[in-house]
Amino acid sequence: MSTPLETAHTPGPWRADRHNADFPGGGWFITNANGILIGKVHDGVIEVERDQFIPTRLESCDANARLIAAAPELLAACEKALAAYFKADQFEAQDVLEAAIKKAKGQ
């Protein structure tokens, strides 16, 4: 089994809040636990926030983008792992989870 590796993404929990819900094309703000904006989703576009004046925000921007891009695989891996757990097929679950984690971390 792989060991957890250090990541640069913004620590969770993350929260998605609807904005402009009354207007067509309204979207979502994605924030961290402190309410700091991580990204926006609107009109089918995801924007990951960058701040050139805060170096850690620049570093975490790429990691946040990779994590968002890996979200579908992470969800699928969790669903498959849960199903494998109930079938007692830990090896299949481990392989799927490790692949999803590596994608999220850009490896």
Side-chain angles (χ1 to χ4, degrees):
M1 180 185 275
S2 68
T3 58
L5 300 173
E6 200 170 306
T7 61
H9 71 271
T10 302
W14 289 11
R15 179 181 167 135
D17 292 307
R18 190 97 162 118
H19 71 92
N20 294 333
D22 297 332
F23 299 99
W28 298 84
F29 287 144
I30 302 167
T31 58
N32 70 6
N34 297 322
I36 295 173
L37 188 63
I38 295 169
K40 302 173 199 168
V41 180
H42 59 87
D43 297 322
V45 175
I46 299 171
E47 294 180 31
V48 177
E49 289 299 301
R50 298 184 73 105
D51 189 333
Q52 63 185 358
F53 301 108
I54 303 174
T56 56
R57 290 291 301 272
L58 286 174
E59 293 170 12
S60 64
C61 181
D62 292 341
N64 289 343
R66 285 193 300 272
L67 186 58
I68 291 167
E73 285 90 345
L74 290 168
L75 175 59
C78 288
E79 291 172 336
K80 192 165 192 169
L82 186 60
Y85 174 79
F86 287 110
K87 292 189 304 186
D89 189 357
Q90 293 99 357
F91 295 113
E92 179 183 356
Q94 179 180 343
D95 292 344
V96 172
L97 288 169
E98 287 180 346
I101 290 168
K102 284 181 181 178
K103 179 175 181 178
K105 292 184 175 185
Q107 299 174 346

